[in-house]
Amino acid sequence: MSIGHAPTKKVFLKTYGCQMNVYDSERMSEALAVDGYASTETMEDADLIILNTCHIRERAADKVYSELGRIRDIKDERAALGKTTTVTIAGCVAQAEGEEMTRRAPAVDLVIGPQSYHHLPKLIARNHADGKSIVETQFPDDDKFKELPERRRTLATAAFLTVQEGCDKFCTFCVVPYTRGAEYSRPVAQILSEARKLVSHGVREITLLGQNVNGYHGVDTHGKDMTLGGLVRELATIDGLERIRYMTSHPRDMGDDLIAAHRDIDKLMPFLHLPFQAGSDRILAAMNRKHTAAEFVSLVDRVRLARPDIALSTDIIVGFPGETEGEFQATLEIVKTVHFASAYSFKFSARPGTPAASMDGQLSEDVKDDRLKRLQDLLMQQQRTFNAACVGKTFPVLFEKAGRYAGQLIGRSPYLQSVHADADMSAIGKILPVEIASVGPNSLAGVVKSL
Ligand code: SAH
Ligand code: SF4
Ligand code: F3S
């Protein structure tokens, strides 16, 4: 037993959903560290439990409620031992459900939306003082990015950096405009300063995040608007920052200067995640995506002209209300035309409050399952083809962490593939040439070439 040490408070934080939630979770745990919280992987040990939640599809939201069942039991068991457990729901389910959450799950103490988590330490203190649950889901006037403590040192060599939040696009299937609020771009100076801090901590690769990251339009130091292409150029001047990525992009906002940045800036990795959602123009219009299938394909052509080796990834939804078999075939046609290195595909999920949820022609799960399977078979085939073509090539690999076996490290290729190779731990954080020797569906294996 340790003597004379004040007990450290412990926080258990679980993250669901997209990279923006991963980023928010990092910032939350950094803010809590300043407040004396150490992280724990064991829920039973935690004084504070946070679920950073996702509302994008029904299954994502359901997971939160099933987890809350287990949490209630843990909270009761700890209470029997005289220990308090503060249960916090953060993220997009918190934003969407607000008060409803505390009614449905009384074990919940705090409900905090994605724009309010900088107030977390203060709200926990208030809850401890009066024992009342708190729901904070307004979109506050203060800028959370200004209020949060500076980025702390981690062992990571690759980091996320949110540059843009919210969405004004209102695709008819999507909850994000409601859970994340209006589009907002962080000022350039704030982003550069956070990036420099990360690099000073050993980060070599930064992925710029935003729900519509290529719609970024932040103010620069002269008070002028800057696009994502401009921001990438600025970031590329930071010594020690070796790789820049960004996601997620909307086809409508893929500006010429961003495409040109792919041609000109070596540090900008040759990888583009560009969701197209559906291949039929009628469905695209019903989704309010504001582009046609032909426009998407010609955009891909322009990007490939600028950067011929660029790898593409996408998001696709099958079974949108009213989608016919022929319209689904149009989705397969786009996939066959473009060839994706990887992709995420989903069954349409009717989300409360979105226009598509009440559209006519909702399809059965069977139809959606069948379409998803056919689509995923094609996508998997393309991913395997893309990976197989890498054998024999030599890629610069940024080594990130130890692999499963002693002496093995895992890193990333420029195309975001996971690469395994034998290398000394001292190679973590370095970019080394690796000749690819073999491929699996989700990763490559290779040999580090001597310099
Ligand atoms: N801002 C990004 C994506 C945000 S959500 C964009 O505009 O592309 C990530 C993906 O989830 C979406 O691209 C979409 O393919 C999927 N998605 C969103 N809402 C969905 C729903 N109601 N049902 C099924 N998939 C959905
Ligand atoms: Fe959702 Fe569409 Fe906005 Fe993407 S662009 S976050 S899919 S509303
Ligand atoms: Fe999910 Fe919210 Fe991200 S709904 S996908 S966590 S923006």
Side-chain angles (χ1 to χ4, degrees), residues 128-145:
H128 286 179
D130 65 11
K132 288 193 189 133
S133 63
I134 301 172
V135 177
E136 185 100 345
T137 51
Q138 299 296 314
F139 293 116
D141 296 333
D142 53 345
D143 176 0
K144 75 177 175 219
F145 296 109

Side-chain angles (χ1 to χ4, degrees), residues 372-409:
L372 187 66
K373 182 172 183 315
R374 284 187 282 154
L375 174 62
Q376 289 186 338
D377 285 348
L378 176 61
L379 290 168
M380 185 44 80
Q381 199 185 312
Q382 293 195 345
Q383 184 169 328
R384 283 175 193 274
T385 308
F386 180 81
N387 286 345
C390 297
V391 174
K393 290 188 182 154
T394 298
F395 295 142
V397 170
L398 170 59
F399 284 105
E400 290 180 355
K401 56 183 183 206
R404 206 177 316 156
Y405 310 107
Q408 186 196 49
L409 295 186

Side-chain angles (χ1 to χ4, degrees), residues 56-57 167 171 173-176 210-212 248-250 273 275 277 289 315-317 344 346-351 354:
I56 202 84
R57 283 168 292 274
C167 183
C171 300
F173 51 79
C174 183
V175 294
V176 171
Q211 266 88 18
N212 263 302
T248 292
S249 297
H250 193 290
H273 182 68
Q277 314 296 3
R289 292 292 290 182
D315 291 345
I316 303 168
I317 296 176
Y344 298 92
F346 312 99
K347 287 189 283 179
F348 169 75
S349 168
R351 306 305 292 128
T354 60

Side-chain angles (χ1 to χ4, degrees), residues 115-116 118-119 138-144 146-147 184:
Q115 306 308 343
S116 308
H118 52 303
H119 294 309
Q138 299 296 314
F139 293 116
D141 296 333
D142 53 345
D143 176 0
K144 75 177 175 219
K146 267 200 218 142
E147 306 288 322
Y184 165 75

Side-chain angles (χ1 to χ4, degrees), residues 71-258:
I71 290 174
R72 187 192 51 216
D73 295 344
I74 291 174
K75 188 171 176 170
D76 290 347
E77 282 158 26
R78 284 176 50 92
L81 301 170
K83 294 178 184 165
T84 320
T85 315
T86 309
V87 179
T88 298
I89 304 299
C92 292
V93 177
Q95 186 64 43
E97 307 220 336
E99 293 276 347
E100 178 63 23
M101 194 105 223
T102 52
R103 270 194 291 275
R104 231 176 117 181
V108 172
D109 298 292
L110 303 179
V111 180
I112 298 186
Q115 306 308 343
S116 308
Y117 64 77
H118 52 303
H119 294 309
L120 196 52
K122 196 175 74 190
L123 296 174
I124 293 168
R126 205 204 308 163
N127 168 262
H128 286 179
D130 65 11
K132 288 193 189 133
S133 63
I134 301 172
V135 177
E136 185 100 345
T137 51
Q138 299 296 314
F139 293 116
D141 296 333
D142 53 345
D143 176 0
K144 75 177 175 219
F145 296 109
K146 267 200 218 142
E147 306 288 322
L148 288 163
E150 276 197 341
R151 302 302 305 266
R152 288 162 69 97
R153 183 171 292 280
T154 64
L155 295 174
T157 60
F160 291 133
L161 201 177
T162 294
V163 301
Q164 180 272 334
E165 274 207 274
C167 183
D168 298 338
K169 293 253 180 335
F170 290 93
C171 300
T172 53
F173 51 79
C174 183
V175 294
V176 171
Y178 312 97
T179 62
R180 293 271 170 170
E183 235 173 276
Y184 165 75
S185 295
R186 294 176 68 186
V188 175
Q190 211 186 58
I191 294 164
L192 291 176
S193 131
E194 186 171 334
R196 286 198 192 95
K197 193 92 219 165
L198 288 168
V199 171
S200 77
H201 291 334
V203 165
R204 294 288 163 262
E205 172 176 310
I206 291 181
T207 303
L208 307 174
L209 299 181
Q211 266 88 18
N212 263 302
V213 72
N214 58 346
Y216 175 85
H217 54 91
V219 283
D220 69 8
T221 42
H222 309 290
K224 290 215 190 86
D225 237 30
M226 187 175 268
T227 61
L228 188 67
L231 182 65
V232 166
R233 282 174 202 269
E234 288 285 324
L235 286 162
T237 64
I238 298 178
D239 278 341
L241 177 58
E242 308 292 348
R243 291 177 162 192
I244 303 168
R245 304 179 184 276
Y246 60 92
M247 72 186 341
T248 292
S249 297
H250 193 290
R252 286 272 297 181
D253 292 334
M254 203 65 213
D256 287 341
D257 66 326
L258 184 56

